[in-house]
Amino acid sequence: MTNAIVSVSKESRLFEPPEAFAAAARVGARETYDAMYRRSIDDPEGFWGELAAELHWFDAPKTIRQWDPPKTRWFEGGTTNLSYNCLDRHVAAGGGDKAALVWEGEPGDVRTLSYTELLRETARCANALRRLGVGAGDRVVIYMGMVPEAAITMLACARIGAIHSVIFGGFAADAVRDRVNDAGAKLIVTQDGAWRRGKVVALKEHVDRALASCPSVEHTLVLRRTGNPIEMVAGRDLEWTETVGVAHHECDAVPVAAEHPLFILYTSGTTGKPKGVLHTTAGYMVGCYVTTKYVFDLRDDDVYWCTADVGWVTGHSYIVYGPLANHATVVMYEGAPNHPGPDRFWAMIAKHRVTVFYTAPTAIRAFIRWGDEHPARHDMSSLRLLGSVGEPINPEAWMWYRDVIGGGRCPIVDTWWQTETGAIMMAPLPGAIATKPGSCTVPFFGVVPKILRHDGTEAATNEGGYLVIEQPWPSMLRTVWGDDERFRETYFSRFPGKYFTGDGARRDEHGYFWVMGRVDDVVNVAGHRLGTAEIESVLVAHPWVAEAAVVGRPDELKGQALVAFVTLKSGREPTDPLAEELAELVSAEIGKFARPDAIRFADALPKTRSGKIMRRLLGELAAGQAPKGDTTTLEDISVLAALRTDDE
Ligand code: WTA
C-alpha cells in the first residue's frame, strides 16, 4: 500500500438545511451540533451516560466507558435488554397501539403489526426458542427473506440472551455452511422459500444441503411463505406455526449484562474466511438508538422506510433495532424494487405516506436508468428526509435523488459507517449541517475520525489518506467471533491504538469528509461487501485453475463490478464454456451477487519480487478498455511488472 491515494472529486455545491426543517429539528443549528459534539469528546461519560438513561435498565451502569486498545467496554455494571427497549418499554408507556411494522410482501399483501402485537409475536418466538433448548449465549442462525418473522426472531433471541447470526438470503449453501459452523449454531430459522422478482428463492433447500455438514445444528424452524414443496426431516425440522404459533404470548425479557453478546454478523475481509463481527448489547443499543434519533430526526408521526435487507448490518441497525428503540413506524418490504414494475418503491411511498426514506447509491443509479417517468407518476409529497448508505454516492446521483425523489425540498443524509462500527459514524444532522453532494460531511457525536498518511502522520487538507477512528464509540465491534488475534491484527495493527477502517478518504477545507472507498482487498458490488480472497479461493478450487486474482472495476450501475484474472494449469486451454463454468462456480458457492462480470484468462499474473500479485495493476487493466486479446495485454503488464521493484 505504498501508492498514494489520489482524490479527484471537485464538488463545491453547498445546500443549507431548509429553514422550516431546521426550525422543527432536534438539532437545528450548526452551533448546537458543534457544542454537542465538543461535549461528546470532552466529557464522553456525561454525554453518553445521559443518553443511555433515556433507555430502560434493570440495573443502572456503574461506569460508562473503558478503553484499553483494542478492547473497549461500555456501561459496565448495567443490565438491560434490547428487546425490552424496542417493545415492552413503549407498550408500558402507553404506545402499544402504534404501528411498529408495516410490512408489504412482494405479491402485494400487507401486514401491520402494532407494538403490542410485535411484542406478543416476539414473546411467542422466544418461548418456542427456549422449548427448543436455546438459552443465553447459544447461537441461532436466521436465514430468511424480508419477512416480519426475521425481525421477530432477532428480537426473540435478544429477549432471552441468545446470539443471532443473520445470513443474507442471497448466500448459497456452502457459504451458509461455513458461517453456521464458524458460529457453532444450534438452530437455523428459515423459510420454505422467499419471493424475489416473482420467483422463489429456495431457502430451505439450501439449508438442507448445508446441513449435510453442520454438526452443531439440532433443529430448523421453518416458516411457510411461498408454498413451494420442501422436505421436512422428522425430529429435526419444525413448522413455525406448530412451534411459535402455539407458544404462549408472554415471555419476560431477561436482564443481560451490558457486554453480553447480542449478535454475530459475518462480513468480508482480506482473507478467504469471512469474519464474524461481534456486537454486544448495551453499547450497540445506545449507538443505534442515538444515531437513529438524531440522524433521521425521527418524530412521532414519521413513517420510516429503510430498503436494506436484514441480512446486512443496515437492516439490523436501521430496520430493526434503531427505529424500534425510537418507537418509530417502520415500513419493511419483501421483494425487488422493480417488481412488478420499476415504480414499485414510489408506489409504496405514496401508498404508505412514507416520510423518511433510506436507500443505497446502487439502487439510486438503477432508478435513474429506469427513467424519471416512474417516480413522476406517484405522489411523493409525504417525504421529508432522504438517506443514503453503503458506498460513495456520486454527485450526479445525489442531485437526482434530491430533485426527482425529494422534490428539491428534502435534505439528504449521506451516512458513512460499517458492519464493524454498528451504527452511523459520519453524516450530516439534517437540521444543522449544510450538505455537499458526495460528502458524508462531519462526524457523529463521540466519533474522532482522522486521515493518515502511510507513515501515520496526519494528511493535509484535501490530501487523500487512510481513514482511522481514534476514540472508542459505544457500538464498536468487540472482537471477531472466536478470533481475538484477527480482530487486533485487522483493525488495530496498521496504526497501533487506532481503529483502521480500510477506507481511503480526504477532509476538505471546511472539515468535511469524503470517503473514496476501500483501500484493501474488499470490493463493494451493488452495495454488497465482498472479499476478493473469498472468491479467489472458490476459483482455485477448480481442478484446472492454477491461480486467480479478483479485482473490482468501476461500474456505472453497481459502483464496482468484479473481474477475475485466471491462469490455468499446463495443458488446459481457456474457452468460453470454461469461463462460464467458473463464474457459475462462484455463483453456486457464494451466491449470485458474487458472480464475476468477466473472467479473463492469462498466461501469468503480474507479481512483485516478493511474489505478491500486483492487484493495483490488474485493477487498472480491468478498468481500461476491454482489450480483445486479453493475454497480450496481460503480457505487456507482466513485462511492466517485472520492471517494478516496489511491493504494493
Ligand atoms: C462503504 C454498510 C462512502 C465503505 C453500512 C465502508 C460508504 C463499507 C458509505 C462498509 C458512505 C458505506 N459513503 N462509502 N456513505 N457507507 N460505505 O460493512 O467502503 O456492508 O467501509 O456496512 O461500505 O460496508 P458494510
Side-chain angles (χ1 to χ4, degrees):
M1 295 201 295
T2 51
N3 46 313
I5 298 168
V6 182
S7 173
V8 292
S9 170
K10 292 201 185 59
E11 183 59 48
S12 61
R13 286 169 284 199
L14 188 74
F15 296 91
E16 295 292 339
E19 254 171 56
F21 192 103
R26 235 174 223 111
V27 180
R30 170 80 204 213
E31 301 73 55
T32 317
Y33 158 82
D34 286 339
M36 289 175 78
Y37 179 76
R38 216 169 311 117
R39 173 154 187 248
S40 75
I41 303 303
D42 295 345
D43 175 23
E45 274 80 14
F47 183 86
W48 290 110
E50 279 167 30
L51 284 164
E54 293 177 13
L55 295 163
H56 178 83
W57 299 83
F58 297 98
D59 301 291
K62 295 199 172 56
T63 59
I64 301 302
R65 173 183 101 148
Q66 293 167 54
W67 179 225
D68 178 16
K71 290 286 179 180
T72 192
R73 302 179 74 83
W74 287 75
F75 308 112
E76 283 275 70
T79 61
T80 187
N81 185 291
L82 183 47
S83 180
Y84 185 97
N85 272 294
C86 288
L87 302 169
D88 310 56
R89 190 167 72 89
H90 307 308
V91 174
D97 290 341
K98 183 174 176 177
L101 286 184
V102 178
W103 174 81
E104 187 164 314
E106 196 184 71
D109 40 340
V110 174
R111 203 175 138 198
T112 300
L113 288 154
S114 68
Y115 273 88
T116 301
E117 288 165 334
L118 187 59
L119 171 57
R120 279 169 166 248
E121 294 310 310
T122 299
R124 275 190 222 284
C125 182
N127 283 326
L129 294 181
R130 278 222 178 107
R131 181 144 337 147
L132 294 176
V134 175
D138 286 337
R139 276 80 64 204
V140 174
V141 158
I142 302 174
Y143 179 61
M144 302 180 89
M146 288 288 290
V147 290
E149 287 79 2
I152 288 167
T153 309
M154 291 164 76
L155 290 160
C157 288
R159 198 163 187 84
I160 60 172
I163 305 170
H164 61 69
S165 181
V166 184
I167 300 177
F168 173 56
F171 277 112
D174 290 359
V176 173
R177 177 200 59 207
D178 293 347
R179 285 157 178 78
V180 167
N181 286 337
D182 189 80
K186 228 176 178 173
L187 173 72
I188 302 183
V189 185
T190 189
Q191 297 168 220
D192 49 358
W195 288 119
R196 190 75 191 171
R197 217 163 278 124
K199 296 207 178 72
V200 171
V201 182
L203 295 177
K204 175 61 164 65
E205 208 179 296
H206 298 169
V207 168
D208 288 342
R209 247 181 289 143
L211 281 188
S213 36
C214 293
S216 62
V217 175
E218 294 169 8
H219 293 288
T220 76
L221 185 53
V222 185
L223 175 82
R224 300 276 179 168
R225 168 61 186 151
T226 45
N228 52 308
I230 53 172
E231 252 175 64
M232 294 291 279
V233 175
R236 186 193 75 180
D237 300 342
L238 305 158
E239 300 280 353
W240 178 279
T241 45
E242 292 168 12
T243 318
V244 181
V246 299
H248 186 56
H249 64 268
E250 281 176 356
C251 171
D252 285 344
V254 177
V256 297
E259 286 294 338
H260 185 74
L262 177 69
F263 69 81
I264 302 167
L265 184 56
Y266 285 87
T267 189
S268 299
T270 52
T271 72
K273 193 171 177 285
K275 294 180 289 221
V277 167
L278 180 75
H279 283 289
T280 56
T281 302
Y284 175 82
M285 169 176 85
V286 171
C288 288
Y289 167 71
V290 174
T291 50
T292 306
K293 175 172 170 174
Y294 287 103
V295 176
F296 298 108
D297 196 42
L298 285 184
R299 36 221 56 251
D300 197 41
D301 56 355
D302 269 320
V303 177
Y304 165 96
W305 182 17
C306 166
T307 69
D309 191 287
V310 288
W312 306 111
V313 74
T314 307
H316 286 60
S317 303
Y318 299 107
I319 294 177
V320 182
Y321 293 122
L324 294 179
N326 278 278
H327 197 217
T329 292
V330 179
V331 173
M332 185 176 182
Y333 171 55
E334 180 179 39
N338 55 352
H339 189 85
D343 64 338
R344 181 64 184 265
F345 278 11
W346 323 130
M348 282 184 58
I349 288 175
K351 176 169 166 189
H352 301 293
R353 304 299 292 159
V354 172
T355 59
V356 180
F357 180 67
Y358 189 30
T359 194
T362 185
I364 297 169
R365 290 190 297 267
F367 304 145
I368 296 173
R369 183 174 286 195
W370 295 339
D372 293 9
E373 64 274 24
H374 303 296
R377 277 212 305 277
H378 300 278
D379 172 12
M380 298 199 285
S381 59
S382 56
L383 288 174
R384 65 177 198 95
L385 179 63
L386 303 174
S388 166
V389 61
E391 53 181 311
I393 178 164
N394 46 309
E396 291 344 293
W398 195 100
M399 289 305 296
W400 183 89
Y401 195 29
R402 177 188 149 83
D403 293 338
V404 179
I405 304 306
R409 72 182 179 278
C410 306
I412 297 178
V413 289
D414 176 357
T415 63
W416 177 85
W417 59 295
Q418 308 178 298
T419 304
E420 294 88 340
T421 71
I424 291 167
M425 298 292 276
M426 293 201 267
L429 300 192
I433 305 293
T435 52
K436 298 182 186 187
S439 168
C440 59
T441 74
V442 295
F444 189 73
F445 304 134
V447 176
V448 185
K450 287 277 157 64
I451 296 179
L452 302 183
R453 299 194 181 105
H454 191 68
D455 63 4
T457 57
E458 221 174 304
T461 298
N462 279 322
E463 180 187 341
Y466 302 98
L467 178 62
V468 304
I469 313 290
E470 279 196 340
Q471 296 284 322
W473 61 98
S475 61
M476 187 176 110
L477 82 161
R478 297 302 195 257
T479 191
V480 170
W481 179 253
D483 201 344
D484 273 348
E485 180 47 30
R486 188 170 179 199
F487 164 69
R488 199 199 55 77
E489 164 68 28
T490 308
Y491 304 106
F492 287 93
S493 67
R494 180 69 187 75
F495 300 104
K498 299 180 170 73
Y499 171 82
F500 178 45
T501 63
D503 277 340
R506 74 182 162 97
R507 187 180 197 166
D508 73 12
E509 55 284 3
H510 296 116
Y512 276 31
F513 286 84
W514 299 76
V515 174
M516 284 130 46
R518 306 290 306 194
V519 292
D520 53 12
D521 297 328
V522 173
V523 185
N524 213 320
V525 179
H528 299 317
R529 184 171 152 181
L530 294 164
T532 51
E534 212 177 331
I535 301 165
E536 287 159 7
S537 69
V538 172
L539 292 170
V540 297
H542 187 284
W544 291 14
V545 172
E547 268 192 314
V550 174
V551 297
R553 74 158 177 232
D555 183 273
E556 212 187 303
L557 211 55
K558 297 191 278 192
Q560 283 184 294
L562 295 174
V563 179
F565 291 92
V566 172
T567 63
L568 297 177
K569 290 182 181 159
S570 58
R572 300 299 181 185
E573 288 300 317
T575 60
D576 286 347
L578 178 60
E580 181 60 25
E581 187 183 328
L582 292 174
E584 253 322 295
L585 195 61
V586 176
S587 211
E589 299 223 348
I590 301 178
K592 282 203 184 70
F593 64 96
R595 186 189 161 99
D597 269 31
I599 302 271
R600 292 170 59 175
F601 295 105
D603 288 340
L605 296 177
K607 302 240 177 88
T608 62
R609 282 203 179 160
S610 61
K612 273 175 79 180
I613 293 172
M614 303 176 85
R615 296 168 170 285
R616 194 160 58 88
L617 280 182
L618 289 176
E620 284 164 11
L621 180 64
Q625 305 282 343
K628 276 253 230 43
D630 282 359
T631 39
T632 2
T633 324
L634 260 182
E635 271 158 21
D636 295 345
I637 290 280
S638 303
V639 172
L640 204 70
L643 296 173
R644 290 173 64 111
T645 53
D646 58 327
D647 269 7
E648 288 208 320

